[in-house]
Amino acid sequence: MPPAGPLQRRRTLALLLAGCAGASQALELRPTTLQLQPGQTQADLWEVNDEPQAWQGRILVHQWDQSSGRDRLQPTTAIVASPAMPHLPAGARQRVRLVLPVALDAPGEQAFRVLVEPSDRHLPRYSLPLFISPQRPVASSLSAQLGMRGATPCLRLHNPGSHRARLQDLGYVAPSGARQPLQSGLSGYVLPGATVCWVLPERADGYADGRFQARRDGTAAEDLGPIAAGASTGL
C-alpha cells in the first residue's frame, strides 16, 4: 500500500476540506469544477441538500495562486456569489450564481476557489476551483525537478503555459521499470506560470535516475521529466 504522506498539502484543496468523524456529507455540489469561458460573466453552482435537516452557511470566493511552491488564497471581489448566505431546507436544491461584474484584464488563465462553509462547524466544508480562461490558452509541457523542502524530498513542477495543468495518478518509475504509486486520483494543480513543490515519501535511492509519471487533464499517463541524481535544493 503506498505511503499516506505524499501531497498531503494538496489534499487540503480537494473537494472535502474538513469534517468530523461520523458527520454526514450535508451537500451535493454540481459541478465540482467551475469554468468561465471567454465572454461569459456567470457560472452556476447547484447545491443539493438530501439530508433530513436544513443546511445554511455562506459562500466565499478567494483568488488562488501558487507562491513559494505552495497554494495561496486571498479574498477577492472579482467574483460575486449570489446568494452569498444560502439556506436550504431538507430535500431542497438551490442555484448559486457566481458573477464576474467586471471583465478581468489578464493575459493568462485566472484561478479562484469557491469556499462553501456551513454555519454548523461539525459539518464539512468544501472548496471548488473556478477558472476564467483566456481566448487561446496555451498548454505547455511541465518541467520537473527533484528538490528538497528542508530534509524532505519534493517534486518541483513548473508550468510555463497560460493554462492550468490538472494531474492525476502520480507515480514514480525507478530505473528498473518498477512503478511506485504516490497519489491515486487527483494529485493537484499547477497553475499557469507557477511552480509547486509537492512533498514526497522518502526512498532509499533518493529517486536517483528515475522519472515521474502522471495523467494530465484526463489523458493517458505521461512522463513529467527525467529526475537526475543530486538535483538542486527545493523551495
Side-chain angles (χ1 to χ4, degrees):
M1 187 172 182
L7 311 182
Q8 288 180 351
R9 177 178 59 81
R10 306 300 306 178
R11 291 176 182 172
T12 65
L13 286 174
L15 174 61
L16 178 59
L17 284 184
C20 68
S24 63
Q25 184 167 331
L27 285 183
E28 180 181 351
L29 302 176
R30 307 171 187 164
T32 56
T33 298
L34 298 153
Q35 179 78 51
L36 283 175
Q37 301 294 345
Q40 287 186 316
T41 60
Q42 177 179 306
D44 291 341
L45 171 66
W46 285 93
E47 299 178 318
V48 181
N49 181 16
D50 288 331
E51 300 298 318
Q53 305 86 19
W55 186 97
Q56 61 183 7
R58 60 178 182 169
I59 310 294
L60 302 173
V61 183
H62 286 66
Q63 185 91 32
W64 174 25
D65 62 22
Q66 292 171 326
S67 176
S68 300
R70 294 180 170 90
D71 291 291
R72 182 175 63 175
L73 299 180
Q74 301 182 81
T76 183
T77 57
I79 301 288
V80 177
S82 178
M85 301 184 70
H87 175 87
L88 282 81
R93 64 198 297 261
Q94 184 175 39
R95 178 171 64 177
V96 176
R97 295 175 174 86
L98 297 158
V99 180
L100 179 67
V102 180
L104 299 181
D105 184 15
E109 185 176 61
Q110 300 296 297
F112 300 84
R113 281 276 168 181
V114 179
L115 308 182
V116 182
E117 296 189 344
S119 301
D120 185 345
R121 295 182 180 180
H122 295 96
L123 294 177
R125 300 166 58 229
Y126 306 88
S127 174
L128 306 177
L130 186 154
F131 300 101
I132 301 178
S133 294
Q135 289 286 349
R136 295 179 178 85
V138 178
S140 300
S141 298
L142 300 179
S143 63
Q145 189 178 29
L146 184 66
M148 299 293 292
R149 189 186 293 281
T152 305
C154 72
L155 175 61
R156 183 194 294 165
L157 294 168
H158 176 67
N159 179 7
S162 63
H163 189 267
R164 66 191 179 271
R166 183 181 188 273
L167 300 182
Q168 298 170 271
D169 301 329
L170 178 66
Y172 172 72
V173 181
S176 65
R179 190 179 193 278
Q180 175 189 355
L182 297 175
Q183 178 68 59
S184 298
L186 178 63
S187 303
Y189 290 87
V190 188
L191 298 179
T195 301
V196 298
C197 202
W198 295 345
V199 172
L200 299 168
E202 300 280 353
R203 275 183 64 97
D205 62 7
Y207 295 93
D209 302 319
R211 64 188 192 276
F212 291 93
Q213 285 184 339
R215 297 173 56 213
R216 177 171 176 169
D217 303 323
T219 61
E222 63 180 63
D223 287 351
L224 300 178
I227 306 299
S232 61
T233 57
L235 301 174

